Amino acid sequence: MAAPPPTPGLARPRVDTVPADPGRGDRDEALHAMAAALAGPGLVVVTGPPGCGRTRLLERLAQASKRPVHAGGGLAMLSGAPALALERATRARMPADDLPLLAEAVYSRTRGGLLVIDDLQWCDAATLAVLPLLAERLPVAAALRTPNRLTEPALARLLAGAHVIPVPDLTDAEAARLVAEAAPALPPARAAALTVRAGGNPLALTALAKRAAHLDAGEDLDLENPGDPAAAAAAAIADLPRAGRTALAALGLLGRPAHPSLLGDGAAVLQEAGLAVPDGAHLRAASPWMAEVAAGILDHEARLHMHERLADATIGVESARHAHAAGLADRALATALEAAESAGPQARAEALLLAADLDPAHAVAAARAALAAGRTRAALAVLDSASNYSASNDSAAGPDDGETALARAWALLALGEPAQARAALEHAPAGPETDQLRLLSAPPSEKAALAEALRAAHPDLAHPGLAAALAGDDPDALAFAEALARDAGDATTAFWCAWSRVIALADAARLVEAEAVAHEAADRAGAAGAYSWQTRFLAAAAWCLVLSGTGLDNVIAAAQSLADHALPAVADTLIDAAIALAEADTGALGAARTRLARLKDAPAALEGLVAWLEHETAWLDGQPGPEAPEAKPGLVGGLAHITGRWIAYDTGTEPVAADLAPWPVPVASTLAAWDKAAPGPFAQAATAWDGLAAREQVRCLLALAAHAGDAKAAVAALEAAERIADEHGLIVLAGRARRGLRKHDVRRDRRSARGGGGLTDRESEVLRHVASGHPSRRIAEILGITAETVETHIRSGMRKLGAKTRTEAAVILTAADGGAA
C-alpha cells in the first residue's frame, strides 16, 4: 500500500498571527499590516460589517502590489457554485471536486502573483477549504463580512492559520476626508455630528453626508441616535433616479452580475454613480450590500413585479425561484419540474426540492434526488416538512406513508443511523426495497438469519437492490451487484454496494484492496456529482492508510485537506478518526485526544470505532483505562480486543474474553498468541500482519519480546519492532521498543560522529534554521520549499536524533556540530 505522495503547498499554513485588532489605527496602518503579512506566502483576511470598507482595502492592496493581481469573489445567489470565486480570479474553469488538484490548478495560473478573493461569506466550501492551502505558496488576501452564515468549523479552519485584520473604524481625519469628498460645503460641526451617527462605517457616512448636503441651511438632521447603516444606504438609494433604483434592486434580487440589457436605462445610471462596475460583459454591484438594501426597500407590489420580470429573464431553477418569490406558484412549480427533467444530479435535486416546497406531493421525489446528489440532510428536511404538512392537514397518507418511509430509511442509513432506519421501516410497504433496507440496517447478529429468510422469500432475486444486499460481505459478489445496479440506473444501490465492499475488505484486514476500491468509488461518485458519497469514500481510503500505518505524515496532510470540506456525518467522523490515530501514532497525543473529544456525537455505526480509538490513544499515552470497549465483529472489533490485552498486560488486570467470532486471520492469530502467551505464536501473528498493518506487526513484535524466554530473542524482536516503527513513522511504538532495549542494556547513540544521526543534508539544514529561531514558513521561503516539506524534514530529523521536540533536535544537532568543530 502506497502512501499518497506529498503535494507541495497542501499542508495547512503555519503562520504567526499578527495582532487581531489593529485598534484605532487608521486604514493606512491596516494596509501596511496586510502588505507586511503578504511579503511572502500567507493568508490575510480582513473582516468587518457591511459597508465598512473591506473591498476598498483589498483594492488598495491590489493597486499597491508589484505582483500581478488575480482578483475574484463570491456571489450571493451563486454561493453554492463550486470554486466560482477562484474561476473569476483565474478566468478559467476549476476542478472543484478534487482539492489537491484545485490547489494546483489555481497555483499554476497565479504563481508569482497576488490572489485576492472578496466576499468570502458567499464562497463555496471548496474555495474556503483551498485558500489556507494556497497560502502555503501564494500571498492571498481575502475579505469576510461579519456577521456571516459560515459554519463555525469552516470559519475556524479558514482563520486558523490566517492573519485576521478587522477593518478599523474611521479615524476623525479619515472621516473628515470622506465627508469632504461627499459634501464639500458641509460645515465642520455638522460633518462631525454625521461622523458620530455613521458609527465609523464609511458607506453610512457617505450616504448621510450626501443627504445632508441637499438640506437647507436652516434644516437639521436627527442626530440623537447613531443610526443604522442600512438606513443610510436606503437614503442614498432614494436619491437615485427611478431607473437606477430599479436596476440596483434587480442586482440585489439576482445576487449576481447581470447583462446591462437586463438592467435597462438604470445600467448607465449605476455606472455613473459608481454603484455598479463592469464584470466582463456584465455589470455587478460595487457594493452587494447596497444592492440588497435596494431590494429590501422595494414595496411589496414592486418586489413582486421585479421578481416576475426576473423570472421572464432567467431560465431553469433560477427562473423558478423568482417565479416563486413573485407569488406565481403554478408557474414556479412547472418551471422547476421542467428544469429537473434534463438536469444533472445536483441541479435536479435543487429543482425538485423547490418543487416540493411548492407542492409536498413531490417530497419523495425530491428526497430521492437529494440522496442521489449526496444531500442527505436536505432529503430528511423535505421529508419532515411533507410529513408535518400531511399531519396538519389530516391527510389520509398519514405522517409517514410507505414511500416516505423508504426514502427516510435511506437517508438515516446514509447518516450512519441504522437503528433509526429500522424504526422508519415500520411504515414501509412490503416489497424487495423494504427487505433490502431491512437487511442493510439489521444488527450484525441478525443479518445471517434475515438473509436466509429473504433468499427463501425471493427465490428469483429480480430486484437488483435486494440482490446487492444479499451479497452480504463477499467482496466479489458485492462488486458484481454494484455493476448490475449501475447498469439498472440505481445509483443509490450502486454506492451502497461499493461502500459495503470497502467495509467488507477492511473488516477482513484487506486494507490495501479496501483503499483501492474506496478511491475507485470516490472517482465514480465525483463524476456523478454525489459529493456526500465521494467524501465518504475518500475518508474511508484515508482511514485504511492510517490503520495500516503507511506514510502517516503524508496521510495527515491529505486528511487535513479533506477535513477542510463541509463533510457529511460518516465521512466527517472517519476523517477525524484517521487524523486522530495518525496524530497519536506520530506522537501528537494531546492533539489526538482533543480531536477525539469532539467525536462524542458520532454516527451510531461508528461508535465502536471511536470507542476503540479513545482506548488506543490512552494506551499509547501511557494512561490506559481498566478495560477495552465493547468489541464488535470485524477488524476494529478485533483491534479493540487486542488493545484490551495490552491494557490488561500493562495494568496487571484480567482481559475481557474475546468472543468466538470469525475474526480476520491476523486478528485471530494475535488473540490466540495472547491466549498462549508464548513467543512462537506472537512471531506467527507478526508475520500475519506483515504488509497489512505495520502498527499491529510492531505490537506483535513488542509482545513477542515481552514473552521471550531469553534476552537474545527479546532484543532481536525489539530491534525488528524499532526498525519497522521508524520506517513507518510510528514514533510512540518506536519509543516503547527503545525503552525495552534499554532494559536489556542496549542503548543507541542516535547521533553519528558529526551529530547527524544519519540525517540527510537537507534535514540538517532545516534543523539548523530551527536552531536559529526561524518558523517553518520562513524556513520554506529561505530554502525554496514548502512548509509541509519543512515539517516532514523536522519530524524525520527528530526520529533519527531520538528527540521529543523540534527544539531538542535542533539543540542536539547544534551541540554535535560544536563538538565536531
Side-chain angles (χ1 to χ4, degrees):
M1 182 182 304
T7 305
L10 291 185
R12 184 187 303 280
R14 294 172 172 84
V15 298
D16 300 322
T17 305
V18 297
D21 183 5
R24 295 291 299 176
D26 61 20
R27 308 287 169 116
D28 290 336
E29 292 178 2
L31 184 63
H32 292 324
M34 293 167 65
L38 296 179
L43 173 62
V44 164
V45 179
V46 292
T47 64
C52 70
R54 304 180 312 277
T55 300
R56 178 56 182 155
L57 269 181
L58 290 184
E59 290 173 351
R60 291 180 62 191
L61 180 71
Q63 292 168 0
S65 174
K66 296 181 180 179
R67 306 169 181 262
V69 176
H70 306 273
L75 298 173
M77 184 62 80
L78 301 177
S79 58
L84 175 65
L86 299 171
E87 291 181 350
R88 296 177 68 196
T90 59
R91 300 296 189 265
R93 295 290 294 173
M94 289 287 121
D97 290 334
D98 187 326
L99 192 63
L101 186 58
L102 174 61
E104 291 297 328
V106 175
Y107 177 70
S108 68
R109 290 168 174 80
T110 58
R111 67 179 68 192
L114 169 67
L115 179 61
V116 177
I117 302 296
D118 200 2
D119 292 323
L120 286 179
Q121 69 276 6
W122 290 320
C123 288
D124 66 296
T127 299
L128 296 175
V130 83
L131 287 184
L133 311 182
L134 287 169
E136 185 68 28
R137 307 164 75 182
L138 286 172
V140 181
L144 175 64
R145 188 180 71 182
T146 54
N148 55 68
R149 295 186 180 182
L150 298 184
T151 64
E152 290 185 6
L155 190 59
R157 288 191 290 264
L158 173 70
L159 301 181
H163 299 274
V164 181
I165 302 180
V167 178
D169 290 345
L170 292 170
T171 64
D172 291 342
E174 289 171 333
R177 288 197 299 270
L178 198 58
V179 172
E181 292 173 2
L186 206 63
R190 179 166 289 195
L194 291 179
T195 300
V196 173
R197 184 173 182 181
N201 186 288
L203 180 61
L205 180 58
T206 300
L208 286 170
K210 288 182 176 180
R211 185 176 183 186
H214 295 288
L215 293 176
D216 295 334
E219 297 180 21
D220 201 359
L221 291 172
D222 177 14
L223 301 177
E224 293 297 322
N225 299 309
D228 178 5
I237 293 166
D239 288 338
L240 288 170
R242 180 181 180 84
R245 295 198 304 271
T246 302
L248 190 58
L251 287 175
L253 292 177
L254 280 170
R256 61 171 177 80
H259 195 273
S261 62
L262 179 61
L263 303 177
D265 295 339
V269 174
L270 294 182
Q271 283 189 280
E272 184 178 353
L275 294 175
V277 294
D279 188 343
H282 294 71
L283 285 181
R284 62 176 175 84
S287 167
W289 173 69
M290 198 82 159
E292 292 167 8
V293 173
I297 61 176
L298 287 172
D299 62 65
H300 180 66
E301 292 299 324
R303 187 177 298 106
L304 293 180
H305 179 66
M306 178 73 71
H307 275 299
E308 185 174 358
R309 281 185 53 201
L310 294 176
D312 293 335
T314 55
I315 60 173
V317 179
E318 187 177 19
S319 176
R321 289 197 176 283
H322 285 297
H324 184 24
L328 305 174
D330 292 341
R331 174 180 172 180
L333 178 59
T335 304
L337 293 175
E338 182 182 356
E341 291 179 0
S342 58
Q346 291 288 349
R348 174 178 168 79
E350 196 70 30
L352 287 177
L353 287 169
L354 175 58
D357 187 39
L358 292 160
D359 183 355
H362 300 283
V364 173
R368 296 272 189 173
L371 287 170
R375 299 180 58 180
T376 308
R377 296 198 179 277
L380 275 179
V382 73
L383 292 174
D384 288 340
S385 177
S387 295
N388 293 336
Y389 177 84
S390 296
S392 63
N393 288 275
D394 297 323
S395 169
D400 240 8
D401 62 17
E403 290 301 314
T404 302
L406 288 171
R408 187 183 300 279
W410 276 118
L412 291 168
L413 198 57
L415 287 176
E417 300 293 345
Q420 295 184 41
R422 291 195 298 273
L425 289 173
E426 293 177 3
H427 303 283
E433 185 176 18
T434 299
D435 289 339
Q436 174 190 4
L437 285 163
R438 285 173 56 208
L439 187 54
L440 288 173
S441 60
S445 60
E446 301 176 11
K447 282 195 173 184
L450 180 57
E452 191 64 28
L454 291 177
R455 286 191 182 94
H458 302 276
D460 56 351
L461 284 182
H463 188 275
L466 180 57
L470 287 170
D473 57 2
D474 181 343
D476 293 333
L478 286 166
F480 181 72
E482 180 187 356
L484 288 179
R486 285 205 304 270
D487 291 341
D490 187 351
T492 302
T493 294
F495 286 135
W496 268 111
C497 286
W499 179 251
S500 299
R501 188 178 170 206
V502 171
I503 297 301
L505 290 168
D507 277 344
R510 295 163 63 179
L511 296 173
V512 176
E513 296 170 76
E515 182 223 356
V517 170
H519 274 299
E520 291 171 2
D523 291 340
R524 286 194 294 270
Y531 169 73
S532 176
W533 279 111
Q534 181 190 30
T535 55
R536 181 191 286 235
F537 286 121
L538 288 174
W543 170 250
C544 290
L545 276 175
V546 171
L547 203 57
S548 70
T550 303
L552 296 183
D553 286 344
N554 294 333
V555 171
I556 289 177
Q560 287 282 17
S561 298
L562 182 59
D564 284 331
H565 286 287
L567 301 177
V570 171
D572 191 43
T573 300
L574 266 181
I575 203 65
D576 269 342
I579 296 173
L581 182 57
E583 288 173 333
D585 279 339
T586 54
L589 290 158
R593 300 188 80 160
T594 299
R595 187 178 299 278
L596 288 173
R598 298 198 296 266
L599 294 180
K600 296 302 182 185
D601 296 325
L606 297 177
E607 287 176 352
L609 182 149
V610 174
W612 167 65
L613 271 180
E614 290 173 342
H615 277 73
E616 178 70 8
T617 303
W619 175 75
L620 288 169
D621 204 12
Q623 304 176 44
E627 60 184 30
E630 178 183 356
K632 298 181 180 180
L635 177 61
V636 171
L639 293 176
H641 274 301
I642 293 172
T643 299
R645 296 302 179 95
W646 273 108
I647 291 173
Y649 176 81
D650 288 345
T651 59
T653 57
E654 285 296 320
V656 176
D659 298 330
L660 296 177
W663 301 113
V665 172
V667 171
S669 298
T670 306
L671 293 176
W674 277 106
D675 289 337
K676 297 174 182 178
F682 278 117
Q684 294 174 0
T687 301
W689 287 110
D690 188 18
L692 296 178
R695 64 188 319 279
E696 295 308 317
Q697 184 182 13
V698 169
R699 292 213 292 184
C700 285
L701 290 169
L702 292 173
L704 168 59
H707 293 83
D710 61 86
K712 184 177 180 181
V715 168
L718 289 168
E719 287 179 334
E722 179 190 31
R723 174 181 55 78
I724 295 170
D726 278 339
E727 287 174 354
H728 289 82
L730 300 166
I731 293 175
V732 177
L733 294 179
R736 184 166 182 138
R738 282 191 278 274
R739 289 195 299 273
L741 287 168
R742 287 196 292 271
K743 291 179 182 178
H744 290 280
D745 293 326
V746 178
R747 299 183 182 277
R748 299 271 196 265
D749 182 359
R750 303 291 294 172
R751 295 164 289 173
S752 68
R754 295 182 59 235
L759 298 183
T760 65
D761 290 342
R762 179 65 90 183
E763 289 165 350
S764 298
E765 188 176 19
V766 167
L767 286 175
R768 290 189 183 97
H769 284 297
V770 171
S772 300
H774 294 308
S776 297
R777 180 165 158 261
R778 178 58 181 154
I779 297 171
E781 294 173 2
I782 293 171
L783 300 181
I785 57 180
T786 69
E788 179 191 358
T789 302
V790 170
E791 289 294 324
T792 298
H793 287 317
I794 291 173
R795 284 193 290 267
S796 178
M798 288 168 57
R799 287 196 294 270
K800 292 178 180 179
L801 295 173
K804 295 180 179 178
T805 67
R806 57 197 287 153
T807 303
E808 181 184 357
V811 169
I812 291 173
L813 181 63
T814 302
D817 286 345

